[in-house]
């Protein structure tokens, strides 16, 4: 997967490849990230890339000439890439959107700055707008880095087996179960017995039950949307019967 980021802050975006899974993905060749700055296409002495909005209002906008030139250069570099503008006006990034983006061969992520960009650039050069949440950031760079990180995890061969299992829990539309490491008792709190039992079926059942309970509590919207399959119903019934029996 090749990702070209159009940004006035290339050094900020480059940091995404310095550590963690994106770094692994880049080192393995599964992911290539490069940047293009609109400032490199500025023609005047001051290398201007912004101007005041027509009709007044606060702040400055990115001017169309330099931004369009940078996007066009990115398109030439990465033929056939989907062009996404990072923007609070965009479609909210979620699991399904990340999957779809990870399936693309190449992406161009355009980062706005200031109050936004000239709308004619969106009309002519942008395929889709993507938001990472209902809040306004000072620019699209952090959003682009979120997209790159989420995609890197999904590229073939990047995650080891253990982490793929965690990812599978999200495939089942559930949040993750609690995790514990040594020591087995810390500040008087013991690790649940089942995790130290060596009984892998019991451990997996406990984890599945925890995922159901965590999701129902933290994200009831996800829980209801997912519904209860036979396995979940059986786990919850067994747990309910167990607590009813032990609470008498
Ligand atoms: N740029 C500014 N705010 C943003 C957001 N919420 N998501 C993506 N890009 C942005």
């Amino acid at each position: 997967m090749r990702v070209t980021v159009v940004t006035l802050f290339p050094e900020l975006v480059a940091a995404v490849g310095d550590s963690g899974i994106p770094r692994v993905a880049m080192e393995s060749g599964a992911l290539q990230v490069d940047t293009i700055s609109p400032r490199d296409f500025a023609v005047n002495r001051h290398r201007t890339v912004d101007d005041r909005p027509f009709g007044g209002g606060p702040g400055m906008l990115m001017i169309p000439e330099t931004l369009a030139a940078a996007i066009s250069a990115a398109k030439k570099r990465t033929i056939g890439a989907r062009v996404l503008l990072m923007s609070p006006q965009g479609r909210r990034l979620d699991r399904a959107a990340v999957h779809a983006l990870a399936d693309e061969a190449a992406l161009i992520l355009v980062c706005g700055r200031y109050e936004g960009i000239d709308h004619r650039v969106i009309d002519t050069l942008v395929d889709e707008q993507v938001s990472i949440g209902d809040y306004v950031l000072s620019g699209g760079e952090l959003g682009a880095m979120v997209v790159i990180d989420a995609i890197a995890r999904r590229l073939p061969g990047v995650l080891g087996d253990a982490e793929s299992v965690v990812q599978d829990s999200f495939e089942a539309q559930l949040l993750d179960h609690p995790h514990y490491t040594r020591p087995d008792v810390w500040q008087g709190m013991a690790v649940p017995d089942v995790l130290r039992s060596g009984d892998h079926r019991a451990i997996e059942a406990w984890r599945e039950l925890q995922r159901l309970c965590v999701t129902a509590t933290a994200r009831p919207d996800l829980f209801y949307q997912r519904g209860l399959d036979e396995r979940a119903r059986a786990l919850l019934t067994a747990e309910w019967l167990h607590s009813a029996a032990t609470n008498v």
Side-chain angles (χ1 to χ4, degrees), residues 75-93:
K75 280 173 157 244
K76 271 196 204 119
R77 201 185 272 184
T78 321
I79 309 270
R82 198 165 171 71
V83 180
L84 309 179
L85 172 67
M86 302 311 304
S87 154
Q89 274 74 250
R91 184 160 71 97
R92 264 260 288 284
L93 192 70

Side-chain angles (χ1 to χ4, degrees), residues 3-14 33-41 49 62-78 81-86 107-113 117 121 125-126 139-145 148:
V3 181
T4 300
V5 185
V6 175
T7 171
L8 290 168
F9 294 90
E11 67 292 346
L12 174 56
V13 173
V33 178
D34 58 7
T35 55
I36 294 188
S37 172
R39 210 172 288 285
D40 293 339
F41 298 87
V49 290
M62 288 175 83
I63 57 174
E65 292 93 338
T66 48
L67 183 57
I71 297 173
S72 299
K75 280 173 157 244
K76 271 196 204 119
R77 201 185 272 184
T78 321
R82 198 165 171 71
V83 180
L84 309 179
L85 172 67
M86 302 311 304
L107 294 171
I108 294 170
L109 305 180
V110 180
C111 302
R113 274 274 151 181
I117 74 175
V121 177
L125 289 170
V126 169
E141 284 78 8
L142 292 175
M145 292 162 83
I148 291 168

Side-chain angles (χ1 to χ4, degrees), residues 86-88 112 130-140 143:
M86 302 311 304
S87 154
V130 175
S131 165
I132 61 159
D134 290 339
Y135 40 81
V136 179
L137 300 164
S138 10

Side-chain angles (χ1 to χ4, degrees), residues 6 35 61 167 230 238:
V6 175
T35 55
L61 297 177
Q167 210 172 55
E230 221 168 287

